[in-house]
Amino acid sequence: MGVFSRTCEYAMRAVFFIAHRTPEGTRVGIKDISEGIDSPAHFLAKILQDLSRRGIIHSAKGPNGGFYMTEEDLSRPLSDVVEAIDGVQIFKGCALGLKQCSEKNPCPLHHEFKAIRNDLTKLLNGTSIKSFNEDLLNGMTSLKK
Amino acid sequence: MGVFSRTCEYAMRAVFFIAHRTPEGTRVGIKDISEGIDSPAHFLAKILQDLSRRGIIHSAKGPNGGFYMTEEDLSRPLSDVVEAIDGVQIFKGCALGLKQCSEKNPCPLHHEFKAIRNDLTKLLNGTSIKSFNEDLLNGMTSLKK
DNA sequence: ACAATTAAAGAGTTTTATATCTTTAATAAA
DNA sequence: TTTATTAAAGATATAAAACTCTTTAATTGT
Ligand code: FES
Ligand code: FES
C-alpha cells in the first residue's frame, strides 16, 4: 500500500469527482462516481455515507438525488477527508511506530521524517479541495487510471 | 496506520536494534530483540526470517547464535528494509492510487506529492543503516516506546 | 395515493495483515 | 555422542480492511 489506505484513496478521488461534477447545485449518483473513479460501487457507497455523516460532503435521496458539495465543503482542506478515513497517525505518528513521536525521545528517523511529515501536512491542510479542483476543471489533472 | 505498515515498523526497529547490539561480531537473540523493541516475539521471528532470506541481515543457529549484521549489511540504505517489507509503492505510487503516477496523466496532488515522496526516498535511500545507528550509539535516539 | 429513484442501513463474505503455537533443523559445547 | 540452544519452518488463529448483497427509508413526479 502507498501512503494512504485504499479506502482513503477512493474517498479523495470521489471527493474530487463530486466537486468536479457538481459545480451548479446539481448532484451525482453513486454509480457515476464509482465508474468515474474506478472503484467498487457498494464499497464506495459506504465510504460516502461516512463522509456524508461527518458533513464533509452532502447527499440527497430520491429522483435527481445524489451527492454534492456546498461552497463550504469545497473550502475545506483535503486533510479533513484523510483524517476522517485514515485518522491522524499520518500527520503525527512516529515513522517507526513508537507510541509517541517526540523531541524528547526521538527515533533515529525523527528529525528528517518530521520535516517530510510537516510538508505533507502543509500540502493537505493548506490546500482547499476547491483549489485542487481547479486544476481538474482546467483539464490539467486526472482521476482516471 | 502511519506511513509504513506495522510489520515494516517492527522490521526497521529490529534492524536498528541488531545494528546497535552487535558491533563486534556478537549476536543477539530474538527474545532480546523483541523485548528491546516492544514487538511480539514470534511475529518478529517471521519478519527477521524474511530479512535474513533476503540477505538484509544475517543469522546463526545454535548456542550463542542469533541475528547480526555484517559491515556490508550496515552500509545498506534503510530503503532496502522498507522495500523488502512494504514494497515499492511508497516510493513510486500515486497519492490517489491511480495505476500509474505519471507526468502525462497527473492526479491533482501529483506535483506537490511527488516532491514529498522524493524527499522520503532521499532520506531512506540516501542514508545507510550504519549512519542512523550512530545517533543510536551516541544515545541521541531511541527505539523504546 | 402510487410508482420510480435514489442514498442509508444492515448483514454478510473475502482477503490481507497481524499474531501465536508447535515442530524441525542446525550448531556448539560438554 | 548427547544435550542444550538457537533460528527456520509450518500450521493455525485472530483481527482488520476491503468488498458484496439485500433491505429500508426518503424523496420526487405522476
Ligand atoms: S519519534 Fe519517530 S518520527 Fe518522531
Ligand atoms: S499521479 Fe498521483 S501522485 Fe503522481
Side-chain angles (χ1 to χ4, degrees), chain A:
Chain A
M1 194 47 48
V3 172
F4 306 107
S5 70
R6 183 172 303 192
T7 304
C8 189
E9 291 173 353
Y10 291 154
M12 291 188 287
R13 299 220 297 271
V15 160
F16 286 134
F17 188 88
I18 297 167
H20 180 244
R21 274 295 191 82
T22 60
E24 276 315 318
T26 56
R27 286 110 180 228
V28 56
I30 189 69
K31 193 86 186 304
D32 280 351
I33 304 172
S34 68
E35 280 168 8
I37 70 166
D38 253 314
S39 79
H42 289 283
F43 186 44
L44 184 62
K46 289 298 180 194
I47 300 169
L48 295 187
Q49 272 166 41
D50 188 12
L51 293 180
S52 181
R53 260 187 252 110
R54 292 168 190 266
I56 290 173
I57 61 176
H58 285 83
S59 67
K61 289 181 181 178
N64 304 313
F67 296 91
Y68 63 99
M69 297 178 72
T70 65
E71 263 308 309
E72 205 192 336
D73 295 342
L74 291 169
S75 304
R76 239 186 274 281
L78 188 59
S79 56
D80 282 10
V81 175
V82 173
E83 208 172 305
I85 307 289
D86 278 354
V88 86
Q89 275 293 100
I90 191 111
F91 302 119
K92 313 237 161 169
C94 167
L96 301 191
L98 300 188
K99 285 236 175 62
Q100 276 285 54
C101 167
S102 76
E103 307 292 335
K104 286 268 177 66
N105 189 41
C107 76
L109 297 194
H110 178 78
H111 293 295
E112 288 97 335
F113 184 75
K114 188 177 146 194
I116 291 169
R117 216 180 43 191
N118 283 348
D119 287 348
L120 186 67
T121 303
K122 213 181 299 170
L123 167 59
L124 297 180
N125 204 32
T127 319
S128 67
I129 293 167
K130 180 166 30 183
S131 59
F132 282 118
N133 196 42
E134 266 154 31
D135 283 353
L136 206 53
L137 288 166
N138 296 335
M140 296 162 61
T141 62
S142 160
L143 296 176
K144 270 293 224 179
K145 311 185 181 185

Side-chain angles (χ1 to χ4, degrees), chain B residues 6-16 44 47 51 81 85:
Chain B
R6 182 170 306 193
T7 304
C8 188
E9 292 173 351
Y10 291 154
M12 292 189 286
R13 300 220 297 273
V15 161
F16 287 134
L44 184 63
I47 299 169
L51 293 181
V81 176
I85 306 290

Side-chain angles (χ1 to χ4, degrees), chain B residues 94-95 100-102 105-107 110 113 117:
Chain B
C94 167
Q100 276 286 55
C101 167
S102 77
N105 189 42
C107 75
H110 178 78
F113 184 75
R117 215 180 43 189

